[in-house]
Amino acid sequence: MVRKILSRLAQYGFTLLAASFLLFTLTEFSPGTVASKILGPYALENQVALLNAQLGLDEPLLHRYVDWLQTLVGLSPNLLPEAAPGLGLSDPRGDKYFGNFGYSLMMKEPVLDVLADRIGHTAWLSAWALGLTIPISLLLGTLAGMHAGSSVDRVISTVTVTLTSLPEFVVAVGLLLIFVASLGWLPGTSSLQPGDQWSTGAQLVLPVTVLLIASGAYLTRIVRASVAETMQADYVRTARLKGLSPRRVIWAHVLRNAMIAPITVILLQVNWILTGVVVVEAIFAYPGLGSLMLRAALFGDIFTVQALTMLALSVALITQFLGDVAYAILDPRIRVD
Amino acid sequence: MSILQIESLCVAYDGAEVVRGFDLTLKEGESYGLVGESGCGKSTVAFAVEGHLAATGKVTSGSITVNGTALTKIAEPQLRRLRAAHMSMVFQDPVAALNPTMRIGDQLAEAAREPADILPIMDRVRLPDPEALLKRYPHQLSGGQLQRVVIAMALLSRPSLLILDEPTTGLDVTVEAEVVALISEIAAAEDVALLYISHNLGLMARVADRIGIMYAGQLVEEGPVRSVLRSPKHPYTLALLACLPGRKDRAPGTPLPSIPGQVPLIGALPRGCAFAPRCAMSKPGLCDVDPPLRMVQTGTDHFARCRRLEDQPPMSKEQQTPPTRDLRAHDTVLEIDGLRKTFGRRGLFAPPPVVASDDVGFTLPAAQTLALVGESGSGKSTLARMLIGLDVADKGTAMFDGKNIAALPAKDRPDSLIRQIQMVFQNPDGTLNPAHRIGFILARALKRAGQPHGEQDVIRLLDSVRLPATLADRHPADLSGGQRQRVAIARAFAGSPALIVADEPVSALDVSVQAAVIGLLSDMTAAHDTAILLISHDLMLVRHVAQHVVVLYQGRVMEQGPADAVFKAPFHPYTEALLASVHPPDPDHVVSPLDAPDDPGPSPQDGCPFYNRCHRRLPQCSAMPPPKRDAGTGHAILCHRELQDLVPPERT
Amino acid sequence: MQSSIRGFGWIEMGGLHAYLPARLARSGIALTGMYILMFWGVVALFAPLIAPWDPHEIDFAAMGDRGFSANHLLGTDATGRDMLSRIIWGARTTFVVVPLAIGSAFILGGVAGLAAGWYGGWIDILVSRVGDVMLSFPALILYIILITSFGPSLTNIVIAVTLAYAPGVARLMRGQVLAVKERDFVSAARAGGESGPYIMFVEILPNVGGPLIVDLCLRAGYTVILIGTLGFLGLGLPPPTPDWGGMVVEGVNFLSIYPHMALLPAAAVTSVVIACNLLADGLRERAK
């Protein structure tokens, strides 16, 4: 078992490394060299050439990737402040530390500081969204799956099928129209500025609801399908024919087995929410990592984009790993030889 | 007092009646065998008794009374109490019947009326080391062990009625024999009434006091097991018994009779007698008109549903002269020697490889049938796959037409060789590509065989396996299992091969269809001068069709020789155990239990692979490989015992 | 029934036949989805003939009241362009990008998955590992990077969708192939000396079609959502190309006065997504 976990970890480590290479290639190979992005559109050709030489941007791709990686883990210094003194960049942590993604070209600050200001907001939003999505979907999905074909099931299924067809931005527009434009009950932006006339709670309602609808409907359908299928299993028939009470049959025999398949999906919801967060933060001007990602990408702030993507990749792979562990805990066929 | 009373029960799925006026009375301690082919409604009866029909199923009329409680009249909570207190059920597939994520002990505890019963009952079903077993999960146990767990679970509620739906189908024959013996023994001791549901007449002959034969949702014959099997009255029962290859009064090699046609579809029943369209006795104007037939008493406690009972000829004693077996020296079509195949990854941490075949050797004469016999894991199928090039041997030779094909994968074989060796697979559902029409499949086979493959050629090929030309336009899903297997045979014979490898070609088919398919296979081999390597676990069938037998155990040849010699003493102890597990449809067949060791652990590394299950083992058997003993006329036995010690004592 | 045995009459994609028009007709759900898609398909095809206005033309006369009128049946947008015409032309964007993107994703992923499942070995390891890496990127982030790096052209959007979806398709295909590969008819074909490509394309492919077609419908739905979302985030096709997602975001600011500006294109996107999902659900039900 320990060996399985270690080999899985190694596999995810490799995936992260390969993904980081892909990320590096996509961002630094983009049209318009890195140096001209750093210096802006009005830089002179010889300035660009000089910076290229100083930062080693003329080197082959693999060489640059290794440099980038070394800087990232704190083995070699980030040369940008010295190379481009005109930008006035400095980092109180020094030039060598783990997690050194360099400087945000948009904010003229170390990327880590930019992230630190916003990560709390996004974590807070995601936590609310997941904290509501998971219990509600489990409850509704189980209810529908247990009584597959009943009127309860039909209502839940119809609603969830419809909701999964709605893009996040459409849901957001619908909610804005009802609760902001018509009723005026809630704010249309959630910028969390101090002194805003709306409380933080009120500002969170719509973003959280959009995320809840977008991923909750899908998760409910997955849970419903798994529960409905498990209800048909021979061992559930055995349990019933033992004369067990329906409650006992559901709790002891159906639920544990029915949760094995959705557990992976539940953890993948974290990824869905990451995607949804970009859209939702953009719509509601929420000061989190998602809106930062979009702005940084549009600005050409490649170092911030790299940092945010690496963060997203890490979260994605960690949740996948947790999914594997949860799977093994739930299913003795994997855990016990 | 009667434990179970069913009166004119009718059950319908979505309005289509599958059980039509079913009656049954089961007394305390009595054992009843309900026998029929697939789709006759026998399982539906079992589920109706448990009050657990599928969502679309409904009891439309009639009554079921268990221990004096009318089941059709009570609400769900009462039904639950009735199940917990009086009834238990055992299903066909023990792997699916147990919850994979719950420990065995917890699952047993749920069913137990008294927790203290659990360990004693584990002992009774002879599960080794029960304390440790309770802590394990189902996937850690073998199929035979799981079925014992399920039986233990069923008995823990101390039921007065135990329903067993094909309880041993899918288990190896020796395990099946142990499991049914166990059920009978415990049921007798506890006075439990048993309702067996089975397609296996032979097995029922062994375990049931009374049997009922079901056809198209109705009982067609019912009575004490001896009376029904000795003097069957209904033409269907007669025909079913005639289809079985294992009858004593039939000489090996005589063609097996079969029942023409197919079981009628639900909702498309003929008027009058449902069996009439397939019945040799049916008389127009009598059998095919309303009103529906009633059960008529034909003997002590013996009933049959037939209008022509008086006109029945007495059961014919088939005294056909057996065809003379041609055992003269033939050309050899296949000569296997020292064949070895192991599976498993090689590497520092890899588990030791599994040996699928080891030192296998035998020869197959042209145009004859050689049967490979053995239980699951004996390496029969691996051998077949090597012969047709789906696997390659690690070591050894298989000489065919002067070429060693043992390590020659199909993709490297010349077309001429591929045409010469063809295979018929076991499962009729998987053997034909569901995406293609029958005509396409056969046209392709003819083309590959280098034959003309036009429309007329396909029709001719279909005709050779007695299928109508119209099937060419159908997809495999539109065909019955027997028809699909005929198409598979046609495909194999498209190029007149010299050797056919047939892997359990009829084991998935109903008894009445089996006989016809086996008959077809024999006819085709005779017509094309083809040799067959028949892989089968069915010893009765093997005895009937094969001239040579090779008995495999864990990839080794334990015994081989001419069929007549292998089925006579001296026996290898494994062959003896297999033969002891055979159930001919004969209530007087005596089974002398072999004194096999109770706890079969893993087989020893160096000695005889059968050591741990052997009832004749000697101390040296676990340490040294057994020597080959020559019993004459090509009959060889691999055993430490002397030949004279391998003769079972005469029964008195 | 008499038919010719030679020729293509026999080579009928049986695994697929459950999904083709004759079967489709028996599923009301799938048929509804089909009709909606056909409606939009016709609209997209004949956009120049149907649209009453040039989608880029600004009607200054309509600046006063942008609501519904005889001139502008569905009103005008914030800049005074005809909503109806823009929605009609917007269908074109969707119905060009989605089939191209999904088609290339299924061809690339399908072939990779088929090869990985059939050949196994290093091909399988390569396909699976590359897939793992691609799938570890949250989808939208991958698009944002690709599109901001290479620019929001039609080709780049198609490439982005292909790269993002091909690994998932390959994974599904591989699993299906592994399941079908074990069946006896494939063993029979191998033992019969059939070539690898013959077995892959004639024996296996027709039997894995079902789940793939369902997946195709679902992914088409996601792609419609995605293209809308990219437009909404300002990463869609450069203006003034009419693009439903972009129209929604332009309309959001006028939600309290002229809700139609955002709602109509939002409804258009939703109807296409729902159609794809209905088709997928209907086909899945039929397959059971």
Side-chain angles (χ1 to χ4, degrees):
Chain A
M1 185 60 204
V2 174
R3 225 171 63 196
K4 267 187 207 165
I5 289 184
L6 287 179
S7 87
R8 266 291 144 127
L9 264 179
Q11 197 183 323
Y12 284 126
F14 170 78
T15 305
L16 183 62
L17 198 67
S20 74
F21 181 67
L22 181 66
L23 166 68
F24 183 83
T25 314
L26 287 177
T27 46
E28 306 229 341
F29 238 172
S30 56
T33 63
V34 178
S36 64
K37 276 202 172 139
I38 293 170
L39 296 173
Y42 306 113
L44 298 171
E45 229 171 86
N46 61 347
Q47 284 178 305
V48 171
L50 184 67
L51 191 64
N52 270 339
Q54 279 174 318
L55 292 178
L57 295 176
D58 302 333
E59 304 286 341
L61 178 70
L62 201 61
H63 187 265
R64 283 188 285 139
Y65 172 68
V66 173
D67 279 352
W68 178 79
L69 210 57
Q70 280 181 339
T71 310
L72 176 58
V73 297
L75 288 175
S76 57
N78 186 324
L79 302 169
L80 189 58
E82 291 157 45
L87 295 175
L89 300 170
S90 74
D91 192 334
R93 278 166 290 245
D95 58 4
K96 277 209 280 193
Y97 58 92
F98 183 83
N100 188 352
F101 281 102
Y103 298 84
S104 162
L105 303 172
M106 188 164 60
M107 310 283 186
K108 311 277 189 258
E109 273 182 73
V111 169
L112 271 196
D113 291 335
V114 178
L115 261 55
D117 290 343
R118 295 157 174 265
I119 195 163
H121 293 151
T122 295
W124 187 236
L125 178 64
S126 312
W128 268 106
L130 279 173
L132 289 171
T133 299
I134 292 172
I136 291 177
S137 326
L138 288 183
L139 193 73
L140 291 179
T142 307
L143 204 63
M146 265 167 61
H147 307 287
S150 70
S151 50
V152 177
D153 175 37
R154 276 203 293 275
V155 170
I156 293 177
S157 294
T158 311
V159 171
T160 51
V161 168
T162 314
L163 290 182
T164 43
S165 303
L166 294 177
E168 282 109 337
F169 70 89
V170 171
V171 175
V173 166
L175 292 175
L176 283 171
L177 179 66
I178 298 169
F179 295 102
V180 182
S182 305
L183 299 171
W185 289 356
L186 291 166
T189 55
S190 313
S191 53
L192 303 183
Q193 298 289 342
D196 195 293
Q197 64 172 102
W198 298 92
S199 68
T200 309
Q203 294 189 43
L204 271 172
V205 172
L206 287 181
V208 168
T209 310
V210 174
L211 289 175
L212 171 65
I213 288 174
S215 61
Y218 177 66
L219 187 53
T220 305
R221 293 184 68 189
I222 299 285
V223 173
R224 182 214 169 265
S226 185
V227 171
E229 193 189 320
T230 311
M231 292 292 284
Q232 302 293 322
D234 278 4
Y235 55 82
V236 172
R237 180 177 66 182
T238 307
R240 284 190 169 155
L241 294 185
K242 276 178 190 171
L244 300 178
S245 69
R247 183 173 305 180
R248 169 95 192 155
V249 172
I250 294 290
W251 280 104
H253 293 277
V254 175
L255 282 187
R256 174 154 183 180
N257 288 293
M259 285 311 124
I260 293 175
I263 187 81
T264 328
V265 181
I266 288 177
L267 284 155
L268 284 178
Q269 287 306 298
V270 178
N271 280 353
W272 265 75
I273 294 226
L274 283 181
T275 299
V277 154
V278 176
V279 180
V280 166
E281 292 191 357
I283 297 171
F284 294 99
Y286 186 86
L289 299 177
S291 51
L292 178 66
M293 175 77 194
L294 191 63
R295 282 175 55 205
L298 290 171
F299 185 90
D301 185 352
I302 51 174
F303 304 124
T304 306
V305 168
Q306 285 170 351
L308 285 167
T309 309
M310 284 303 284
L311 185 67
L313 283 170
S314 309
V315 172
L317 290 170
I318 288 169
T319 47
Q320 274 184 44
F321 175 67
L322 291 180
D324 292 341
V325 174
Y327 207 105
I329 289 173
L330 280 176
D331 193 343
R333 282 166 293 189
I334 292 172
R335 179 163 32 100
V336 192
D337 292 319
Chain B
M1 181 191 141
S2 70
I3 299 289
L4 173 64
Q5 178 107 34
I6 303 178
E7 278 169 16
S8 37
L9 176 73
C10 293
V11 183
Y13 288 112
D14 284 327
E17 282 208 323
V18 288
V19 173
R20 307 178 293 142
F22 183 88
D23 297 292
L24 173 81
T25 306
L26 189 54
K27 295 195 200 58
E28 203 166 90
E30 198 182 16
S31 157
Y32 188 99
L34 191 55
V35 183
E37 296 182 275
S38 50
C40 71
K42 54 190 193 301
S43 289
T44 305
V45 170
F47 284 112
V49 172
E50 282 280 1
H52 193 268
L53 289 169
T56 52
K58 203 168 161 258
V59 173
T60 47
S61 66
S63 71
I64 303 170
T65 313
V66 176
N67 268 9
T69 312
L71 208 92
T72 38
K73 297 206 176 98
I74 57 175
E76 183 68 26
Q78 285 166 284
L79 179 62
R80 214 155 56 226
R81 278 196 291 277
L82 193 71
R83 283 177 191 153
H86 298 295
M87 303 192 280
S88 287
M89 190 158 174
V90 173
F91 302 101
Q92 174 176 350
D93 183 0
V95 179
L98 292 169
N99 184 340
T101 61
M102 198 189 250
R103 291 177 199 276
I104 302 284
D106 296 336
Q107 301 198 46
L108 286 171
E110 275 186 341
R113 198 179 280 190
E114 298 289 338
D117 286 350
I118 294 177
L119 284 176
I121 212 132
M122 300 276 278
D123 266 340
R124 294 205 65 169
V125 297
R126 295 197 208 104
L127 280 164
D129 195 6
E131 299 261 5
L133 216 121
L134 291 180
K135 295 200 186 71
R136 313 188 96 186
Y137 288 98
H139 71 276
Q140 296 170 291
L141 275 61
S142 73
Q145 285 177 318
L146 287 176
Q147 198 58 303
R148 284 159 203 261
V149 169
V150 172
I151 290 166
M153 196 155 82
L155 292 168
L156 273 170
S157 63
R158 299 184 187 167
S160 40
L161 171 63
L162 180 58
I163 302 172
L164 303 119
D165 189 355
E166 304 275 6
T168 57
T169 309
L171 299 179
D172 274 326
V173 282
T174 54
V175 181
E176 172 179 73
E178 288 161 21
V179 169
V180 291
L182 192 70
I183 295 171
S184 301
E185 178 196 317
I186 296 174
E190 313 261 329
D191 244 7
V192 183
L194 297 180
L195 175 56
Y196 269 101
I197 312 285
S198 180
H199 69 282
N200 188 336
L201 263 173
L203 191 66
M204 290 303 105
R206 184 146 162 195
V207 299
D209 302 326
R210 289 173 65 76
I211 62 172
I213 313 288
M214 248 183 125
Y215 188 80
Q218 284 182 322
L219 277 177
V220 292
E221 181 157 10
E222 184 196 20
V225 67
R226 182 173 308 271
S227 174
V228 172
L229 294 179
R230 287 278 150 174
S231 46
K233 294 291 189 290
H234 196 281
Y236 177 60
T237 318
L238 273 161
L240 264 187
L241 282 166
C243 292
L244 294 174
R247 282 173 48 176
K248 276 194 186 133
D249 55 0
R250 191 188 346 263
T254 45
L256 291 172
S258 62
I259 308 178
Q262 289 167 44
V263 177
L265 294 172
I266 295 169
L269 291 174
R271 291 154 72 106
C273 173
F275 185 61
R278 303 174 67 189
C279 182
M281 295 282 303
S282 82
K283 198 169 158 187
L286 179 68
C287 297
D288 55 359
V289 290
D290 287 335
L293 284 67
R294 293 176 184 286
M295 287 291 252
V296 182
Q297 182 150 14
T298 66
T300 321
D301 222 8
H302 188 163
F303 304 84
R305 195 187 297 270
C306 181
R307 290 208 173 112
R308 300 210 57 194
L309 289 171
E310 283 81 45
D311 315 327
Q312 291 268 349
M315 192 167 158
S316 63
K317 288 271 179 248
E318 283 177 49
Q319 285 301 347
Q320 290 162 309
T321 43
T324 44
R325 290 208 167 187
D326 187 6
L327 288 176
R328 284 170 292 129
H330 273 273
D331 290 344
T332 297
V333 67
L334 178 71
E335 186 168 3
I336 293 179
D337 189 34
L339 210 58
R340 181 181 166 89
K341 173 75 185 171
T342 56
F343 289 105
R345 269 191 309 169
R346 253 152 256 178
L348 210 53
F349 299 107
V354 180
V355 180
S357 299
D358 195 8
D359 199 16
V360 171
F362 57 84
T363 56
L364 171 53
Q368 296 215 340
T369 300
L370 181 144
L372 278 179
V373 174
E375 294 169 294
S376 52
S378 63
K380 298 171 298 194
S381 294
T382 305
L383 193 64
R385 291 173 63 85
M386 287 191 281
L387 290 178
I388 55 167
L390 292 178
D391 270 323
V392 290
D394 300 340
K395 237 167 59 181
T397 55
M399 299 304 293
F400 178 89
D401 199 15
K403 248 196 233 99
N404 179 14
I405 58 165
L408 194 60
K411 63 178 160 58
D412 297 340
R413 295 186 179 189
D415 282 352
S416 57
L417 178 58
I418 283 173
R419 278 170 210 164
Q420 288 301 306
I421 309 179
Q422 288 284 320
M423 179 148 173
V424 175
F425 291 86
Q426 171 176 11
N427 186 351
D429 296 339
T431 189
L432 304 178
N433 192 333
H436 299 311
R437 292 173 196 270
I438 303 302
F440 173 80
I441 294 169
L442 292 181
R444 181 79 192 174
L446 285 168
K447 188 177 175 197
R448 298 288 312 173
Q451 304 285 327
H453 48 279
E455 189 168 351
Q456 290 310 314
D457 305 297
V458 168
I459 289 169
R460 203 173 307 124
L461 188 57
L462 275 169
D463 188 55
S464 73
V465 292
R466 291 165 220 151
L467 289 174
T470 48
L471 287 192
D473 263 337
R474 305 279 175 79
H475 284 99
D478 305 327
L479 273 60
S480 71
Q483 287 176 322
R484 271 178 253 169
Q485 212 59 328
R486 283 167 189 269
V487 174
I489 290 172
R491 176 173 63 184
F493 278 97
S496 299
L499 171 63
I500 291 264
V501 180
D503 189 357
E504 303 272 12
V506 295
S507 68
L509 303 176
D510 272 326
V511 181
S512 65
V513 183
Q514 274 188 12
V517 171
I518 279 295
L520 174 71
L521 202 55
S522 306
D523 294 351
M524 295 288 281
T525 47
H528 294 258
D529 256 347
T530 306
I532 303 192
L533 186 75
L534 174 73
I535 293 176
S536 181
H537 70 281
D538 185 343
L539 288 178
M540 290 191 288
L541 177 73
V542 165
R543 181 177 208 163
H544 191 79
V545 301
Q547 285 102 32
H548 305 270
V549 176
V550 173
V551 181
L552 283 176
Y553 184 77
Q554 294 194 356
R556 299 268 212 99
V557 176
M558 295 277 113
E559 176 169 5
Q560 65 170 302
D564 299 333
V566 171
F567 286 114
K568 275 200 213 102
F571 298 117
H572 186 281
Y574 179 54
T575 316
E576 196 183 349
L578 287 175
L579 283 168
S581 317
V582 164
H583 314 291
D586 174 3
D588 295 325
H589 176 78
V590 184
V591 186
S592 40
L594 306 177
D595 191 17
D598 248 2
D599 176 15
S603 36
Q605 279 288 322
D606 301 315
C608 174
F610 191 58
Y611 169 77
N612 49 356
R613 284 176 58 189
C614 184
H615 59 287
R616 293 187 190 279
R617 63 185 180 186
L618 298 167
Q620 67 265 37
C621 292
S622 69
M624 278 189 298
K628 192 170 181 176
R629 300 193 183 274
D630 186 359
T633 62
H635 184 197
I637 295 174
L638 207 67
C639 191
H640 281 286
R641 292 261 188 186
E642 297 289 340
L643 287 176
Q644 65 265 27
D645 294 343
L646 293 174
V647 179
E650 279 300 313
R651 288 195 206 105
T652 44
Chain C
M1 191 166 59
Q2 202 57 28
S3 87
S4 169
I5 286 174
R6 278 190 221 87
F8 290 104
W10 297 108
I11 308 178
E12 199 241 19
M13 298 287 182
L16 295 179
H17 74 214
Y19 301 87
L20 293 179
R23 297 280 180 106
L24 200 63
R26 275 183 262 155
S27 164
I29 299 175
L31 214 56
T32 312
M34 196 72 188
Y35 285 143
I36 299 177
L37 288 182
M38 277 162 61
F39 166 76
W40 281 115
V42 169
V43 167
L45 193 63
F46 297 108
L49 302 177
I50 303 171
W53 288 74
D54 178 334
H56 308 308
E57 187 185 336
I58 297 167
D59 182 8
F60 292 98
M63 284 304 217
D65 179 11
R66 285 156 180 164
F68 304 156
S69 68
N71 244 348
H72 300 282
L73 287 175
L74 296 180
T76 59
D77 70 357
T79 24
R81 293 170 294 191
D82 182 52
M83 285 295 290
L84 178 60
S85 304
R86 288 184 67 74
I87 286 176
I88 289 170
W89 279 90
R92 253 197 178 191
T93 313
T94 303
F95 276 76
V96 168
V97 176
V98 175
L100 272 179
I102 290 292
S104 51
F106 268 76
I107 291 170
L108 183 66
V111 171
L114 198 57
W118 174 250
Y119 290 110
W122 66 266
I123 296 182
D124 186 16
I125 292 174
L126 184 75
V127 169
S128 300
R129 289 292 159 272
V130 169
D132 285 348
V133 171
M134 299 298 299
L135 288 172
S136 62
F137 283 87
L140 189 62
I141 291 182
L142 187 63
Y143 298 122
I144 291 179
I145 294 173
L146 283 168
I147 289 164
T148 52
S149 294
F150 299 99
S153 72
L154 188 129
T155 322
N156 287 346
I157 290 181
V158 169
I159 290 173
V161 174
T162 306
L163 288 181
Y165 282 169
V169 176
R171 200 178 262 192
L172 177 68
M173 176 65 112
R174 175 181 174 274
Q176 291 290 315
V177 171
L178 287 181
V180 174
K181 201 177 149 179
E182 293 308 312
R183 300 186 59 183
D184 281 345
F185 64 82
V186 176
S187 296
R190 282 176 60 200
E194 300 285 10
S195 68
Y198 179 87
I199 298 179
M200 274 197 282
F201 290 102
V202 181
E203 299 285 347
I204 295 182
L205 194 60
N207 287 292
V208 301
L212 257 94
I213 288 188
V214 172
D215 188 64
L216 189 137
C217 297
L218 289 174
R219 281 182 198 275
Y222 297 149
T223 313
V224 175
I225 292 185
L226 176 86
I227 289 168
T229 305
L230 290 178
F232 186 84
L233 295 179
L235 297 167
L237 294 175
T241 317
D243 165 357
W244 291 342
M247 290 167 72
V248 176
V249 75
E250 286 163 20
V252 163
N253 294 329
F254 302 86
L255 214 47
S256 46
I257 326 162
Y258 295 118
H260 73 268
M261 289 183 191
L263 286 188
L264 289 175
V269 176
T270 308
S271 72
V272 178
V273 181
I274 287 182
C276 292
N277 288 354
L278 287 179
L279 198 56
D281 271 20
L283 292 174
R284 188 162 30 204
E285 285 305 313
R286 275 247 61 86
K288 275 179 189 166

